Amino acid sequence: MGEMYCLHGVALISPAVEAPFVRSQGLLHQLEQALAHDPQFTHHPDAQTLYDAVRQRRQQSAGEAARQEAVPGKALEGRPALAALFQSDATGLRDDLDPHQLDRLEQLAHQLARGYTPTGNARVDTNLETLLDILKTSPAWKPSDSHYFTPLLEHFLRFLYDRFDAQANLYGERTAYLGPARKDPDGTAVPWNEKNLQDDFHQHLSPLFPPGTVEREKWDVASGRADVIYTPEPGSRFVSEIKWRTTPWRTQQTVERDYLAQAANYTATGPPFALLLVGDASDHSGGYRDIEDSIWIIRHARSATEIPRLIVVGVLPTARPTPHSLRLRRSAGQAGR
């Protein structure tokens, strides 16, 4: 009967002997007939052991095949995000589907799972992932507020990265506030203000969300309010507080001290998430810090029982001199040289 091994008195058939009977229904049928009618096989323990082993292997193979048929086929191998959308008892997909279309669907499924569309800029996407990881630590980070705030945050970052080192004529008069002050007919410099930044940010957001969901407060010179408000549905109100400063900020704490209280107060009756956009119109003659150092999240609770407010801050250098006029500032040791 071929090779057979014994382990604790139990006969084990060599896999090389089992395999042909497992693969071939014809060989298995011949073995069954021999066990039933041939005296040399009917009472031979090796033959019966082989038959039992083959039946067990075939049953295992049938179970594995059934499980493989329960997943959407080979077409989704290597596409985990798309495969995850199918139930375990889903009908299998054809294996002749266009792989390029499947790759595109996999990308869209991955974006759906993450809640935003990658920009293709590795620095933007990494920064967004980092901020989202912090936001996810909030007990209030749940649908639908998390679904609404994620695209708002995404476009906030896109705005900052797009404007951070852009020329003032990027979008004509709309982005002129990024450059040197304009002059009136008498030649007097007319400084930019937060309304210029508000107008640009509002125009950036408005076409990206359903009509009527992005609004701004009426401009009021006396109060200086310049907020952009995104209201995707009643009860979900996300405020972008916009500020303009003409004095340098050396630390993040400086910005938090000056603007946090007002930005956090706007979240008192809504989700505990907001944006704070600061136009930094201070002296940039020596340049300005990089963008990753200018974006962060403030965690702030006004009482021991309040869910902490998470305010995403972005400081945008504005009223910048032309690049050719930038100069390194002298240190105290270099003065007089």
Side-chain angles (χ1 to χ4, degrees):
M1 288 298 299
E3 293 183 73
M4 183 174 69
Y5 305 94
C6 288
L7 179 62
H8 303 300
V10 178
L12 301 178
I13 303 298
S14 167
V17 176
E18 283 182 27
F21 293 90
V22 173
R23 292 194 300 265
S24 173
Q25 181 66 35
L27 283 176
L28 179 60
H29 177 70
Q30 292 179 18
L31 178 59
E32 290 173 341
Q33 292 298 310
L35 285 170
H37 305 293
D38 191 333
Q40 293 184 356
F41 288 85
T42 302
H43 302 293
H44 198 295
D46 291 355
Q48 187 62 48
T49 299
L50 173 61
Y51 179 71
D52 293 340
V54 170
R55 283 188 60 190
Q56 183 178 0
R57 285 280 304 278
R58 287 179 68 89
Q59 289 173 353
Q60 291 174 348
S61 298
E64 292 174 358
R67 286 191 294 273
Q68 290 175 356
E69 289 176 359
V71 299
K74 295 182 179 179
L76 297 187
E77 290 181 359
R79 299 181 176 93
L82 187 56
L85 299 179
F86 288 82
Q87 301 295 328
S88 60
D89 58 351
T91 302
L93 291 179
R94 301 198 325 266
D95 290 333
D96 60 347
L97 296 177
D98 184 348
H100 298 292
Q101 293 295 333
L102 287 173
D103 288 342
R104 176 58 179 155
L105 289 172
E106 167 70 9
Q107 181 183 20
L108 292 173
H110 192 48
Q111 294 171 10
L112 178 64
R114 288 190 295 187
Y116 70 93
T117 303
T119 65
N121 183 321
R123 296 183 69 182
V124 177
D125 295 338
T126 299
N127 204 339
L128 180 56
E129 289 281 3
T130 300
L131 295 174
L132 287 174
D133 285 342
I134 297 173
L135 292 169
K136 290 173 185 176
T137 64
S138 171
W141 188 255
K142 301 175 182 178
S144 57
D145 287 338
S146 61
H147 292 166
Y148 289 140
F149 193 72
T150 296
L152 181 63
L153 174 61
E154 173 194 346
H155 293 300
F156 179 62
L157 286 186
R158 287 174 181 256
F159 176 84
L160 288 170
Y161 274 86
D162 187 58
R163 302 298 193 272
F164 211 81
D165 57 1
Q167 296 294 321
N169 62 356
L170 176 65
Y171 295 124
E173 187 63 22
R174 172 177 161 182
T175 54
Y177 69 92
L178 295 173
R182 56 194 166 181
K183 295 184 178 181
D184 63 15
D186 297 331
T188 304
V190 180
W192 306 107
N193 56 49
E194 64 191 63
K195 184 178 184 299
N196 304 120
L197 177 58
Q198 178 206 10
D199 288 345
D200 186 24
F201 187 55
H202 179 257
Q203 290 181 59
H204 172 76
L205 288 183
S206 292
L208 301 172
F209 295 95
T213 60
V214 178
E215 301 177 307
R216 57 182 173 184
E217 289 187 348
K218 183 178 179 180
W219 175 251
D220 186 339
V221 177
S223 63
R225 294 182 179 230
D227 304 316
V228 174
I229 304 169
Y230 172 46
T231 311
E233 66 177 23
S236 290
R237 176 175 177 266
F238 301 98
V239 173
S240 301
E241 175 68 6
I242 298 177
K243 292 297 182 182
W244 191 266
R245 65 179 299 122
T246 56
T247 57
W249 63 286
R250 300 190 183 280
T251 66
Q252 295 179 352
Q253 288 70 30
T254 300
V255 174
E256 295 173 14
R257 179 199 64 210
D258 292 344
Y259 310 121
L260 174 59
Q262 186 174 358
N265 199 56
Y266 284 132
T267 67
T269 58
F273 312 108
L275 303 177
L276 173 60
L277 175 58
V278 179
D280 176 15
S282 62
D283 181 12
H284 299 304
S285 59
Y288 44 87
R289 66 187 71 196
D290 71 15
I291 190 167
E292 275 80 17
D293 196 37
S294 303
I295 301 172
W296 70 97
I297 291 181
I298 306 171
R299 186 185 299 268
H300 175 65
R302 294 162 294 191
S303 73
T305 57
E306 181 182 61
I307 294 177
R309 315 287 99 176
L310 295 180
I311 313 299
V312 184
V313 183
V315 180
L316 176 66
T318 61
R320 305 190 291 253
T322 54
H324 67 80
S325 63
L326 296 178
R327 297 291 185 272
L328 288 177
R329 294 187 178 91
R330 292 186 175 185
S331 64
Q334 294 176 314
R337 290 186 183 181

